Amino acid sequence: MTEGREPFSSTIDQFLEKVHIWYAKNHDGFKDQYDAAVKHAQACPVSKDDPVYCDWRNQDIKFLCQFFSDWYAWQVHGSGVDNGLTYIEKFSWINYGDNKPGMRFVSKGPGRELIADFTHLQGLQMESPDSKETIKRWVKQLGPKRMDDYEIEDWENFNEFFIRRIKEGRRPIDAKDDRTVVVAPADCVINMIVDELGELTQIPVKNVTMNVGQLLDGSSYARHFIGGTAVSCILMPDSYHWYHTPVAGEVVEARDDIGGAYYGIRNFPALLDKGNVGYGYDYNDFLDFRRGYVIIKTLYVDPDGGPDGEGYVAQVPVGLNSIASVNFLDKFTGELPVPVDKGERIGNFMYGGSLNILLFEKGRFPAVQLLQGQRIGILEDPETTAKRFSHSPHTQPRSQRPLTP
């Protein structure tokens, strides 16, 4: 059910019929909402021969229906591969830039309800036996080297493949017994977001802002992160999609049911662009997305290795475009607190884009720091890079380049 209103569609034809009926009857202002979105749509900022080009300006309802129909067919019967973001990015142009009506269409009212319906339909599609053909295409594209990291199973559908598991020993936990060492929660691109977090006011740092109170949905633990640091860990769709604890301790609070928008990133390419995923992005976009969080109480250690009190680390998995839910293991949905080891699995995302935001107390996590010999990235084939990131970092205008690392 879409928030207690109408039942979700069970077929694409049923969904498209609903779109036509809602538009014809202006259901809850749906016609007005969509017309305003496309009226104020901005010119698509990529060339017409770009695979993600889509011009939403003044498009009628037939265009919207055809778009959803093509997207649905592409995922299973079309290519549906590369980085998995082609149609997500094409759809993002409807609310691109300063198109406030477009943002309302994808994140509020009947527009959001229909998008939730379509996302649910995508979920059904990815759990159907037909989606096994999509698995074959993804396995071929990932190639033997990347697939060798995973346990190979007889996956019944694409969603089972999407949350495929890493082979034992392929992601060893660094300094497992050293409480001062924080580890990556997932296979991800890491970015510092903010180093002076505010609880209620939005403090701009390097063009980004973060409202901790909203992000943690009013949790009483939010106060511990005032003045602290936030780090984004962005998972690409073709990556390993389980997320793990960054530190050891005990989970004292957890939620996986914070509802919210399914779409609504104002500048989706900027999140992926310039080979520097997430840098300079306004993370307030994600305060309204579907998400969960875990609060981990951990022990601090002083320079001599002795105890330095207790503190907290928050981990916020955020389901972005095409993510309908954030899934926690049963351990974190029952009675708390529960102990956790560093690197322990918490949960997973199904198909789509997603990220984890880590929150640290003031002064406890000043920077991302690596030791010599540790991995900082990989040298990729240029064709692969072009599919995963919209533009080369060298194409970034000088005026937009960060002045500090």
Side-chain angles (χ1 to χ4, degrees):
M1 298 285 287
T2 51
E3 298 185 348
R5 296 192 178 184
E6 293 194 16
F8 281 132
S9 303
S10 57
T11 67
I12 185 63
D13 289 340
Q14 190 179 71
F15 171 78
L16 296 176
E17 182 181 11
K18 178 188 287 188
V19 175
H20 279 295
I21 291 173
W22 280 22
Y23 188 82
K25 295 184 176 181
N26 198 20
H27 172 77
D28 284 350
F30 174 68
K31 179 180 185 299
D32 296 336
Q33 191 184 48
Y34 175 72
D35 288 349
V38 296
K39 178 180 179 181
H40 293 87
Q42 299 185 16
C44 189
V46 299
S47 65
K48 290 186 177 181
D49 59 353
D50 193 305
V52 301
Y53 176 84
C54 187
D55 186 357
W56 286 96
R57 290 175 296 177
N58 298 308
Q59 297 289 1
D60 60 18
I61 198 63
K62 291 182 180 179
F63 183 90
L64 178 66
C65 288
Q66 188 61 54
F67 183 86
F68 279 128
S69 181
D70 292 344
W71 189 352
Y72 185 83
W74 174 80
Q75 289 191 161
V76 170
H77 305 296
S79 62
V81 287
D82 295 335
N83 60 12
L85 296 174
T86 301
Y87 267 83
I88 291 173
E89 196 162 347
K90 287 163 74 79
F91 188 56
S92 74
W93 305 127
I94 197 171
N95 60 280
Y96 174 70
D98 193 35
N99 183 0
K100 294 179 181 178
M103 183 63 73
R104 284 193 293 272
F105 173 72
V106 299
S107 62
K108 307 289 183 183
R112 176 182 174 275
E113 286 185 48
L114 278 179
I115 291 170
D117 193 348
F118 184 71
T119 301
H120 178 262
L121 199 60
Q122 287 176 307
L124 294 179
Q125 185 184 42
M126 291 304 177
E127 291 175 358
S128 72
D130 290 345
S131 66
K132 294 186 75 169
E133 291 300 313
T134 304
I135 297 175
K136 295 178 183 178
R137 292 193 291 270
W138 279 66
V139 167
K140 181 179 180 180
Q141 178 177 289
L142 288 169
K145 184 175 181 295
R146 290 184 68 186
M147 284 303 302
D148 189 52
D149 272 351
Y150 299 100
E151 297 177 358
I152 304 302
E153 304 175 36
D154 183 19
W155 297 292
E156 291 297 320
N157 54 59
F158 183 82
N159 264 341
E160 286 190 7
F161 164 78
F162 193 70
I163 57 171
R164 58 198 178 275
R165 301 196 183 202
I166 292 288
K167 287 180 180 177
E168 188 72 28
R170 292 299 174 93
R171 297 293 186 273
I173 306 304
D174 192 31
K176 187 153 185 156
D177 296 324
D178 185 346
R179 290 203 175 246
T180 66
V181 174
V182 178
V183 299
D187 286 5
C188 57
V189 178
I190 291 182
N191 250 287
M192 300 293 282
I193 306 174
V194 181
D195 54 12
E196 293 181 11
L197 293 172
E199 180 178 18
L200 298 177
T201 57
Q202 297 171 358
I203 301 175
V205 179
K206 298 178 184 174
N207 297 322
V208 296
T209 52
M210 179 63 64
N211 183 316
V212 181
Q214 285 180 257
L215 189 67
L216 297 179
D217 203 41
S219 169
S220 62
Y221 287 95
R223 61 186 175 84
H224 291 282
F225 306 106
I226 304 306
T229 306
V231 176
S232 77
C233 307
I234 300 175
L235 289 71
M236 303 301 282
D238 56 356
S239 299
Y240 171 62
H241 257 67
W242 285 86
Y243 41 91
H244 300 238
T245 53
V247 296
E250 62 178 13
V251 173
V252 295
E253 185 172 277
R255 287 185 58 192
D256 63 353
D257 61 347
I258 304 174
Y262 296 77
Y263 290 83
I265 299 178
R266 283 171 287 182
N267 190 346
F268 188 76
L271 180 65
L272 308 176
D273 220 356
K274 309 174 184 70
N276 192 3
V277 175
Y279 186 90
Y281 198 82
D282 184 350
Y283 280 76
N284 269 311
D285 275 2
F286 306 136
L287 299 177
D288 295 324
F289 271 81
R290 304 178 71 80
R291 62 193 186 280
Y293 67 79
V294 294
I295 308 293
I296 304 170
K297 184 167 72 172
T298 190
L299 296 176
Y300 293 134
V301 178
D302 65 20
D304 296 324
D308 190 24
E310 296 179 336
Y312 297 92
V313 173
Q315 182 170 354
V316 185
V318 182
L320 301 183
N321 300 339
S322 286
I323 293 286
S325 62
V326 173
N327 308 304
F328 283 2
L329 294 176
D330 291 344
K331 175 178 179 176
F332 305 103
T333 60
E335 186 175 348
L336 300 175
V338 293
V340 290
D341 295 325
K342 186 193 303 182
E344 184 173 338
R345 283 190 304 148
I346 296 176
N348 60 54
F349 298 109
M350 293 295 185
Y351 175 70
S354 47
L355 74 148
N356 273 244
I357 295 175
L358 304 181
L359 305 178
F360 299 93
E361 293 180 305
K362 185 175 182 178
R364 291 293 182 177
F365 194 87
V368 175
Q369 303 173 69
L370 298 172
L371 295 178
Q372 184 275 323
Q374 292 184 312
R375 169 174 163 160
I376 61 172
I378 59 174
L379 299 175
E380 299 217 49
D381 176 79
E383 291 186 5
T384 301
T385 299
K387 293 170 182 176
R388 289 168 63 84
F389 305 109
S390 300
H391 300 286
S392 164
H394 304 297
T395 64
Q396 185 179 2
R398 183 173 297 275
S399 62
Q400 297 180 12
R401 291 175 186 163
L403 297 179
T404 57

